[in-house]
Amino acid sequence: MSLPSRARWLPTLDAATLVGVTLVVMAVVPARAVVPPLGAAGIPALLLGLGMLLLCVLARLSTGLFVPGPNALRWALIGFIAAYALGYVIGYHRALSEAGQSEADRTLLRMLGLAGISLFIIDGIRDRARLVAALRWLLGGGAAMAVVGLLQFVAQIDLVPMLVPPGLVLNHELIGADTERSAMFARVASTANHYIEFGVVMAMLVPLGLHFILHGSTRLRRQLAVVATGVIAFASLASLSRSAMLALIVVGLVMVPAWTGRARFNLLCVGGVFVVGVAAVSPGLLGTYRSLFIRVDSDPSITGRTMDYALVWPMVNEHPWLGHGLAQVTIEDIILDNQYLLSLLLVGITGTVALLAVLLIAAFMAKWVARTAVDAEARHLGHVLAAPIVAAFVVFGTFDALAFSSYAVLLFAFVGFAGALWRIDRGVYRRRSRRDPAAVVAAPVAE
């Protein structure tokens, strides 16, 4: 008797499913919920990333588990790991305090987990269908995160305490709906560590939602993508964050070449309807954003940070190439909301260049697919994956991005997706070139 076939609604158990589950955990489980014995190092999504890194190492000892072949992004990530490992050694060499040692341990584990997520996606997802499946998981998790934030914003209903799984504890007090306020509205963080992080994460997911609206495999999936993208876009505004608005602008600019003139007009109309809807649901929200940018010169949260930069540069100059080491730097009463400066302090020019190299190579790979892919869906997906990575170069200057687990996990997931898409589409490109060498020209950006 033959065994019954697998039910169609059951997920395929492979690398893409593990990645998708990890990203849902990142979005739905509060970022401040940790495994008790590990403290801040016990964030579930990062622990899964460490497991992925271990699987990547074990896969190199065998054959057939992961897709073989060269990949420049893989080497860039290895360089990133090496830079932070060197920073870890330097920190211990310069006699860290006990508290500093714990912070160094946590920082290194965080970076290993982030790199593990990227490497696992690059080498583990075998084809574009499974890559798209993982991205559907991500969009669903992002929509759930957005709904939690919008309930906080619109109705002051906070579901976050109910989302802490059994066995996990909170390592910091949750940011409630009334913890942070800006003039007329409460700033909400949903399951993220901070409202800035929440807003930027939502902004990064908007292009993904647009992709599934345009290229969903069924009508139902396209309709669900419309709903998910709407709540995600609204949630990005509910954070009342300049960083989120900057990220939205950057991802929009990156996505413009992906669309035809007709598509741009349609999206402009939809955007106009969305703005009117936001104004109707939350009167004064758009005006609040206007005041946030108009008063930027007099905002104490901005001027206080920029004044602190003058105190940081002399410390950077003490050890410019290798930095002070992980957690070696202690500056009293300074809020260093700048990932560039923080990286320069901890791992110096060498480590900062290694980090930026990862982002540059990933963005280049995604854009390469956007130019050369044989079909419109792959070209659009290339732009979608490039957009949040390019936005990182801007938001790195507005907050210490890699200290926030939800944002960091999402960014390195997009890095991995870009590397996987490049590997998958390069195979298609090479097969096409062997069949017809004269046809190897860059495909048009849009049809």
Side-chain angles (χ1 to χ4, degrees):
M1 182 177 65
S2 61
L3 294 174
S5 61
R6 183 176 61 88
R8 293 186 61 186
W9 56 268
L10 288 175
T12 301
L13 299 179
D14 61 355
T17 303
L18 178 56
V19 170
V21 170
T22 299
L23 295 176
V24 170
V25 169
M26 173 277 296
V28 176
V29 175
R32 301 187 179 210
V34 299
V35 177
L38 301 177
I43 297 171
L46 290 173
L47 292 178
L48 289 169
L50 288 170
M52 292 178 188
L53 181 61
L54 178 60
L55 288 174
C56 290
V57 173
L58 294 176
R60 293 295 155 192
L61 304 178
S62 180
T63 57
L65 293 179
F66 283 171
V67 179
N71 193 309
L73 186 54
R74 186 190 302 121
W75 287 107
L77 286 162
I78 292 172
F80 169 78
I81 292 173
Y84 272 85
L86 179 60
Y88 182 78
V89 172
I90 289 172
Y92 269 80
H93 178 70
R94 292 179 180 153
L96 284 172
S97 64
E98 184 176 347
Q101 291 176 10
S102 298
E103 180 62 25
D105 294 341
R106 287 194 294 268
T107 303
L108 182 62
L109 289 173
R110 175 188 296 271
M111 299 308 166
L112 290 174
L114 295 176
I117 292 171
S118 294
L119 289 168
F120 189 79
I121 295 173
I122 290 169
D123 290 336
I125 297 183
R126 292 182 171 271
D127 55 49
R128 200 196 323 156
R130 299 307 301 148
L131 188 149
V132 169
L135 291 173
R136 279 199 296 266
W137 281 82
L138 173 57
L139 184 63
M145 187 179 187
V147 169
V148 172
L150 288 179
L151 286 174
Q152 291 175 332
F153 183 76
V154 175
Q156 287 74 53
I157 297 174
D158 193 1
L159 301 180
V160 176
M162 306 177 196
L163 298 175
V164 179
L168 301 186
V169 298
L170 297 175
N171 66 332
H172 289 290
E173 184 180 353
L174 293 170
I175 295 181
D178 294 320
T179 304
E180 296 276 358
R181 299 197 65 86
S182 175
M184 299 172 59
F185 298 100
R187 287 171 162 168
V188 297
S190 185
T191 59
N193 273 295
H194 196 269
Y195 65 88
I196 295 176
E197 178 187 26
F198 173 54
V200 174
V201 165
M202 293 293 100
M204 292 169 71
L205 293 176
V206 169
L208 183 60
L210 294 176
H211 178 76
F212 285 113
I213 290 174
L214 297 174
H215 297 283
S217 57
T218 66
R219 182 179 180 183
L220 176 60
R221 284 179 172 171
R222 290 191 293 271
Q223 291 171 340
L224 291 174
V226 170
V227 176
T229 307
V231 297
I232 288 170
F234 191 3
S236 69
L237 298 179
S239 66
L240 295 176
S241 165
R242 297 184 190 91
S243 298
M245 182 60 69
L246 288 172
L248 274 174
I249 292 171
V250 173
V251 298
L253 292 175
V254 175
M255 290 300 300
V256 166
W259 303 319
T260 62
R262 176 64 180 272
R264 292 170 193 166
F265 176 78
N266 291 340
L267 288 171
L268 184 63
C269 293
V270 171
V273 173
F274 174 76
V275 170
V276 172
V278 169
V281 173
S282 296
L285 178 59
L286 299 179
T288 299
Y289 266 98
R290 179 174 175 272
S291 65
L292 283 175
F293 282 93
I294 288 178
R295 299 173 184 174
V296 67
D297 292 336
S298 59
D299 191 327
S301 68
I302 299 294
T303 57
R305 294 169 189 170
T306 54
M307 288 173 61
D308 291 337
Y309 293 166
L311 302 176
V312 173
W313 280 115
M315 301 187 70
V316 171
N317 291 330
E318 289 178 12
H319 302 285
W321 290 103
L322 298 179
H324 288 256
L326 303 189
Q328 180 69 18
V329 180
T330 56
I331 313 173
E332 296 295 334
D333 300 323
I334 288 182
I335 301 174
L336 193 59
D337 280 342
N338 187 306
Q339 183 60 50
Y340 293 112
L341 285 180
L342 184 60
S343 295
L344 286 171
L345 276 172
L346 297 182
V347 290
I349 295 173
T350 303
T352 304
V353 169
L355 169 61
L356 297 181
V358 169
L359 301 182
L360 281 170
I361 293 172
F364 172 82
M365 286 180 166
K367 279 295 187 179
W368 184 89
V369 175
R371 292 185 63 252
T372 63
V374 69
D375 63 284
E377 181 179 356
R379 294 197 297 274
H380 191 267
L381 187 56
H383 288 287
V384 166
L385 298 181
I389 299 171
V390 173
F393 288 98
V394 176
V395 299
F396 271 19
T398 64
F399 76 119
D400 46 334
L402 298 188
F404 293 87
S405 59
S406 298
Y407 172 81
V409 167
L410 183 58
L411 174 61
F412 275 76
F414 274 119
V415 166
F417 285 129
L421 182 65
W422 176 84
R423 171 182 51 76
I424 293 165
D425 202 77
R426 188 183 64 152
V428 176
Y429 185 82
R430 284 183 168 180
R431 289 192 295 271
R432 192 167 79 246
S433 67
R434 284 196 296 266
R435 287 196 303 267
D436 184 8
V440 184
V441 294
V445 170
E447 291 181 345

